Amino acid sequence: MLARKTIRGLKPYEPGKPISELARELRIRESNIIKLASNENPIGPSPKAMKAVAGAIKEINRYPDGGCFYLKKKLASKLRLKTSNILFGNGSDEIIDIIAKTFLEESQEAIISKPSFLEYKIIVKTRGAGLKIIPLDESCSGFNYNIDKIVAAISKKTKLIFLGNPDNPTGAYFKKKELNYFLRKCPKDIIVVFDEAYRELIDIRDYSNPASYINKKNIIVLRTFSKAYGLAGLRIGYCIASSRIISFMERTRQPFNVNLLAQVAAEAALSDKPHLLRSRRLIRQGMRFLAKNLKSLGCDVIETPANFILFSCSIGKCKSRTARNQSGKKLHGGCLVSYKGIKGAAIFKKLLPYGVIVRSMKVYGLDKWARVNAGTMQENRRFISTLKEIIGAKS
Amino acid sequence: MLARKTIRGLKPYEPGKPISELARELRIRESNIIKLASNENPIGPSPKAMKAVAGAIKEINRYPDGGCFYLKKKLASKLRLKTSNILFGNGSDEIIDIIAKTFLEESQEAIISKPSFLEYKIIVKTRGAGLKIIPLDESCSGFNYNIDKIVAAISKKTKLIFLGNPDNPTGAYFKKKELNYFLRKCPKDIIVVFDEAYRELIDIRDYSNPASYINKKNIIVLRTFSKAYGLAGLRIGYCIASSRIISFMERTRQPFNVNLLAQVAAEAALSDKPHLLRSRRLIRQGMRFLAKNLKSLGCDVIETPANFILFSCSIGKCKSRTARNQSGKKLHGGCLVSYKGIKGAAIFKKLLPYGVIVRSMKVYGLDKWARVNAGTMQENRRFISTLKEIIGAKS
């Protein structure tokens, strides 16, 4: 057989179309499409970062600094850590891969939650290691970690535990007390990975801070410049851990994994506090607006402390007169007459022809839900009014 | 134990200092340092690519296109291939890693040459798979592949063979006839990886083209935008293989592995033929100049068909009066009185305080040699005159 045994069971990646291609197919102007599907920063990149990138373009014929020297110094100082506590990656995705190949033997196991960020599962399966999947607790108010269930799943084979803090797409997170409880129960030779892609956006009181335990426990905290810092396109994330853990990871990291422009952009973004504050303010405002208006449309809503929200629509009648053509054929990705429980995937399809992109949660096993992230207020309003039209809500 | 068994035997990566940091330490202006150490394109990035990057900066808050849709279409058309024959990576480095994790079981083996590009060895060791290392044939004119030795090393465990075409740092390459001979001898269930980072710079007649065999044999050809296209800082490489091989690799590739600016830059660079022609012309001119002048300084020289050259110095007396201070202490990284066989590492150290960076070949096991790449003609002249001063040659 050509490929490894474990690879043959994986599904090939199916890339989505770029927005410009979608625009061409739907015959909409690209500028008229709004994307609220990838939890990106709606106000754009930090102006300081953009300026730094522009200034470095003439140097892109040179290899990047393999050690992220200046960026690492700056970040370490900001976080009050040693530079030996930090490792940068081509997005957090690459760091998850580095973690798996550094620490996880094929004979060992990783524990992940369900639903959770999809890369953990893909990367563990690619390694060929075992996987235990622990469902989150679900209530009408949302999803929560069940720490006792996670602890009960730990065996002698367990090497890694991946936990979003908060997780995507449910927003489940570790409260301070929960973290203490969990770390007391968790055997010390296990490495616990807390993925904090959204930390800089969060302002809840009981939000735990696993990074403060890196010198006492085997903890790796993932952070990124893709969300609050608005640099998703450049691919740069980092992790925080003990110098010992980082030194092992350095052995498997590729020498030029972080591109030159990402390094200068991230360094500049760290200095751009006004951009971070504006981003946070706009996103919090957007989150309140979305929650309130989705509820008033009669949608079920799961709020998260990050910049995205889950919603499901189960009411109303279809008002759209153009939804079926004269021969009765469905338009706009299929229009149902009654909206008792429209699946998230259908909502996604219905919004698409209007140039509004949200995310179906089918791939996460949450068929009922769609995910939308806070955009600019103009984008948020357009999303709500389009949804209103589609589900035929009265309000 | 914390890390995997195979990782504990690897050396941690030791990053070099950025040029600006070196400048500060040596008290030289950064603009006065010339770097001829990483086989980069000396004329800089394509102007079209720079313009494209500048135009896309405002979009870096968005995730890149995970499928490299437009770039892949353009490259496929240029190479007369299907888009399904191409996969992009965060530099060729990442593609080597994808190949190892897609195809190489821990119980299997890879064959590499010695000396060769270092990443093959590191990545195979990280996988935890076996490694067979076949020395190149060495003669006074340089290094060559010994195909019979490679074929003889193949066993039932062999899954991958990594071969630079031409290889870095020796310039060994496959001639057309050698490729045919090798492919006839090589069992069909083995995947042969030809790394062609320098292809676009090469104009020798008998240079083989493994890419023309991708639909007949299990061959993967690596190419990059880091060398001829002058985009090393952005990290973008690609590989060419059968649709079947690519589809397996797509299962382990991370969805957003190639950053947004790299994609637009590479697409633009593919359209910038004048930049490519100018790069090629300048590099060929530089290679002739370096070979001629190194020889006239009495250096041993190994020319390569790419943009770098190996040299070793074994003649002359030290003329440098500042080379020892008054108390007899060595300056400039150590100055020997007689230069009978200066090691490459010493040449590197001696050139450094003059702001001239070349590469010691010690890490490749070629203690005698240093490597220099063709720079601008001004840089080439400065390198030669500095070397002349250092080795005290008469000419």
Side-chain angles (χ1 to χ4, degrees):
Chain A
M1 297 297 281
L2 201 59
R4 285 173 61 218
K5 203 177 161 191
T6 184
I7 305 304
R8 297 198 293 268
L10 295 176
K11 280 184 194 161
Y13 170 74
E14 283 176 31
K17 278 171 195 149
I19 289 187
S20 50
E21 205 53 27
L22 193 71
R24 202 191 304 172
E25 282 183 15
L26 296 173
R27 294 180 191 175
I28 310 174
R29 266 199 218 145
E30 194 180 334
S31 60
N32 211 17
I33 289 183
I34 61 170
K35 188 181 164 210
L36 303 171
S38 302
N39 307 342
E40 295 155 337
N41 188 326
I43 70 167
S46 138
K48 279 195 181 178
M50 288 196 276
K51 202 177 158 193
V53 169
I57 292 178
K58 60 187 184 303
E59 295 163 35
I60 55 177
N61 60 318
R62 302 293 174 185
Y63 279 88
D65 168 17
C68 298
F69 187 86
Y70 295 110
L71 173 60
K72 199 180 280 180
K73 255 177 104 165
K74 181 154 201 165
L75 183 64
S77 147
K78 185 183 159 79
L79 299 175
R80 295 181 190 183
L81 293 169
K82 287 186 260 178
T83 52
S84 60
N85 293 128
I86 297 171
L87 179 140
F88 287 94
N90 186 39
S92 302
D93 284 1
E94 190 203 17
I95 301 181
I96 300 166
D97 190 59
I98 291 174
I99 291 170
K101 66 186 176 198
T102 306
F103 300 109
L104 186 62
E105 299 279 10
E106 288 191 19
S107 57
Q108 296 176 322
E109 276 177 4
I111 295 176
I112 63 171
S113 309
K114 185 182 176 176
S116 185
F117 183 51
L118 300 169
E119 279 296 310
Y120 311 141
K121 186 173 162 181
I122 295 168
I123 286 169
V124 171
K125 284 199 166 184
T126 299
R127 270 293 298 138
L131 194 62
K132 271 193 187 157
I133 301 173
I134 311 302
L136 297 177
D137 280 351
E138 190 176 354
S139 73
C140 57
S141 68
F143 292 85
N144 288 290
Y145 285 108
N146 185 320
I147 291 166
D148 289 322
K149 268 195 213 161
I150 296 171
V151 171
I154 292 172
S155 75
K156 279 189 180 168
K157 283 187 171 180
T158 308
K159 182 68 191 205
L160 293 174
I161 304 180
F162 289 100
L163 299 163
N165 188 40
D167 201 24
N168 168 21
T170 64
Y173 69 96
F174 274 72
K175 297 179 185 69
K176 286 175 185 167
K177 278 187 184 170
E178 288 173 336
L179 180 68
N180 283 328
Y181 177 72
F182 176 61
L183 293 180
R184 272 202 312 277
K185 295 272 183 179
C186 187
K188 65 172 183 176
D189 49 337
I190 289 175
I191 297 175
V192 188
V193 183
F194 290 96
D195 188 341
E196 301 194 335
Y198 302 92
R199 168 163 289 274
E200 298 82 359
L201 295 174
I202 291 170
D203 61 355
I204 42 177
R205 274 199 181 174
D206 61 350
Y207 183 35
S208 61
N209 184 19
S212 61
Y213 293 87
I214 57 162
N215 290 317
K216 293 173 213 147
K217 300 277 180 180
N218 288 322
I219 281 177
I220 301 174
V221 177
L222 304 180
R223 305 260 174 92
T224 184
F225 285 88
S226 296
K227 307 297 181 185
Y229 291 107
L231 300 177
L234 285 180
R235 314 306 300 126
I236 176 162
Y238 63 95
C239 74
I240 302 168
S242 68
S243 303
R244 184 165 172 244
I245 284 182
I246 297 292
S247 83
F248 283 123
M249 292 173 69
E250 284 288 358
R251 298 177 200 202
T252 71
R253 177 177 74 80
Q254 290 174 346
F256 303 111
N257 61 331
V258 180
N259 72 81
L260 187 151
L261 298 181
Q263 292 187 38
V264 301
E267 203 189 328
L270 285 176
S271 302
D272 196 346
K273 203 161 181 187
H275 173 265
L276 186 63
L277 294 177
R278 263 188 297 132
S279 304
R280 213 183 280 166
R281 209 179 308 127
L282 180 73
I283 286 167
R284 301 262 53 91
Q285 186 190 0
M287 288 293 283
R288 284 191 298 273
F289 175 88
L290 290 175
K292 188 182 153 203
N293 283 279
L294 283 165
K295 283 176 192 167
S296 78
L297 289 181
C299 294
D300 285 344
V301 162
I302 294 176
E303 296 179 64
T304 78
N307 65 343
F308 53 86
I309 200 165
L310 295 179
F311 68 101
S312 75
C313 307
S314 54
I315 54 131
K317 296 266 180 191
C318 180
K319 275 184 180 170
S320 168
R321 293 198 188 155
T322 61
R324 282 178 188 266
N325 67 13
Q326 290 171 317
S327 51
K329 204 180 162 196
K330 287 174 188 172
L331 292 176
H332 301 340
C335 177
L336 304 170
V337 175
S338 162
Y339 286 90
K340 283 180 189 156
I342 313 172
K343 288 188 174 171
I347 285 287
F348 162 75
K349 274 192 191 165
K350 282 170 191 302
L351 286 169
L352 208 51
Y354 294 87
V356 175
I357 310 180
V358 298
R359 189 79 174 265
S360 155
M361 291 288 100
K362 193 179 173 184
V363 69
Y364 293 93
L366 299 172
D367 288 20
K368 175 182 168 186
W369 301 95
R371 191 187 69 198
V372 62
N373 68 258
T376 62
M377 286 310 291
Q378 196 185 358
E379 289 171 338
N380 297 334
R381 280 189 283 268
R382 185 165 146 213
F383 159 69
I384 290 292
S385 68
T386 310
L387 186 67
K388 195 171 163 181
E389 189 178 334
I390 281 180
I391 64 171
K394 284 173 202 163
S395 81
Chain B
M1 299 297 282
L2 202 59
R4 285 173 60 217
K5 202 177 162 191
T6 183
I7 305 304
R8 297 198 294 270
L10 295 176
K11 281 185 193 161
Y13 170 75
E14 284 176 30
K17 278 171 197 152
I19 288 186
S20 50
E21 205 52 28
L22 193 71
R24 202 190 303 172
E25 283 183 16
L26 297 173
R27 296 181 188 174
I28 309 174
R29 267 199 217 143
E30 193 181 333
S31 59
N32 211 16
I33 289 183
I34 60 171
K35 189 181 164 213
L36 303 171
S38 302
N39 307 343
E40 295 154 340
N41 188 325
I43 70 167
S46 137
K48 279 195 181 178
M50 289 196 276
K51 202 178 159 193
V53 169
I57 293 177
K58 60 187 184 304
E59 296 163 35
I60 56 178
N61 60 318
R62 302 292 173 185
Y63 280 87
D65 168 17
C68 298
F69 186 86
Y70 294 110
L71 172 60
K72 199 181 280 181
K73 255 176 103 165
K74 180 154 199 165
L75 183 63
S77 146
K78 187 183 157 77
L79 299 175
R80 296 181 188 180
L81 294 168
K82 286 186 258 177
T83 53
S84 61
N85 292 128
I86 297 171
L87 179 139
F88 287 94
N90 186 39
S92 302
D93 284 4
E94 191 203 16
I95 301 181
I96 300 167
D97 190 58
I98 291 174
I99 291 170
K101 67 186 175 196
T102 307
F103 300 109
L104 186 63
E105 300 280 8
E106 289 191 17
S107 57
Q108 296 176 322
E109 276 177 4
I111 294 176
I112 63 172
S113 309
K114 185 182 175 177
S116 187
F117 184 50
L118 300 169
E119 280 296 310
Y120 311 141
K121 186 174 163 181
I122 295 168
I123 287 170
V124 171
K125 284 197 167 187
T126 299
R127 271 292 299 139
L131 193 61
K132 272 194 187 156
I133 301 173
I134 311 303
L136 295 177
D137 280 351
E138 190 176 355
S139 72
C140 56
S141 68
F143 292 84
N144 288 291
Y145 284 109
N146 184 319
I147 292 167
D148 288 322
K149 269 194 212 162
I150 297 171
V151 172
I154 293 172
S155 75
K156 279 188 182 170
K157 284 188 172 180
T158 308
K159 182 67 192 204
L160 291 175
I161 304 179
F162 288 100
L163 299 163
N165 190 38
D167 201 24
N168 167 22
T170 63
Y173 68 96
F174 274 72
K175 297 180 184 69
K176 286 175 187 168
K177 276 187 186 171
E178 288 172 337
L179 180 67
N180 283 328
Y181 177 72
F182 176 61
L183 293 180
R184 273 203 311 274
K185 295 271 183 178
C186 188
K188 65 175 183 174
D189 49 338
I190 289 174
I191 298 175
V192 187
V193 183
F194 290 96
D195 188 342
E196 301 194 335
Y198 302 93
R199 168 164 289 275
E200 298 82 1
L201 294 174
I202 291 170
D203 60 356
I204 41 177
R205 275 199 179 172
D206 61 351
Y207 184 34
S208 60
N209 185 18
S212 61
Y213 293 86
I214 56 164
N215 290 317
K216 291 173 214 150
K217 301 278 180 179
N218 287 322
I219 281 177
I220 301 175
V221 177
L222 304 179
R223 304 261 174 92
T224 185
F225 285 87
S226 296
K227 308 296 181 184
Y229 291 108
L231 300 176
L234 286 180
R235 315 307 298 126
I236 177 162
Y238 62 96
C239 74
I240 303 168
S242 68
S243 303
R244 183 164 174 243
I245 284 181
I246 297 292
S247 81
F248 283 123
M249 293 173 68
E250 283 289 357
R251 298 177 200 203
T252 71
R253 177 177 74 79
Q254 290 175 347
F256 303 111
N257 61 331
V258 179
N259 73 81
L260 187 151
L261 297 181
Q263 291 186 38
V264 300
E267 202 189 330
L270 285 176
S271 303
D272 197 346
K273 202 161 183 190
H275 174 265
L276 186 64
L277 294 177
R278 262 187 298 132
S279 304
R280 211 183 282 166
R281 209 179 309 127
L282 181 73
I283 286 167
R284 301 264 52 93
Q285 187 190 0
M287 288 292 283
R288 284 191 298 271
F289 175 88
L290 290 174
K292 188 181 152 204
N293 282 278
L294 284 165
K295 283 177 193 168
S296 79
L297 290 180
C299 294
D300 286 344
V301 162
I302 294 176
E303 296 179 65
T304 78
N307 65 342
F308 54 85
I309 199 163
L310 296 178
F311 68 99
S312 76
C313 307
S314 54
I315 54 131
K317 296 268 178 188
C318 178
K319 274 182 179 170
S320 168
R321 293 196 189 158
T322 61
R324 284 177 187 264
N325 68 12
Q326 290 170 318
S327 51
K329 203 180 161 194
K330 286 174 190 174
L331 292 175
H332 302 338
C335 176
L336 305 170
V337 175
S338 162
Y339 284 90
K340 282 181 190 157
I342 313 170
K343 288 187 174 170
I347 285 287
F348 161 75
K349 275 191 188 165
K350 281 169 193 298
L351 286 169
L352 209 52
Y354 294 87
V356 176
I357 310 179
V358 299
R359 189 79 174 266
S360 155
M361 291 288 99
K362 194 180 173 183
V363 70
Y364 293 93
L366 299 172
D367 288 21
K368 175 182 168 188
W369 302 95
R371 191 189 68 199
V372 62
N373 69 257
T376 62
M377 285 311 291
Q378 196 185 358
E379 289 171 338
N380 297 334
R381 280 189 283 268
R382 185 164 146 213
F383 158 69
I384 290 291
S385 69
T386 310
L387 185 68
K388 194 170 164 181
E389 189 179 335
I390 281 180
I391 65 172
K394 284 172 201 164
S395 83

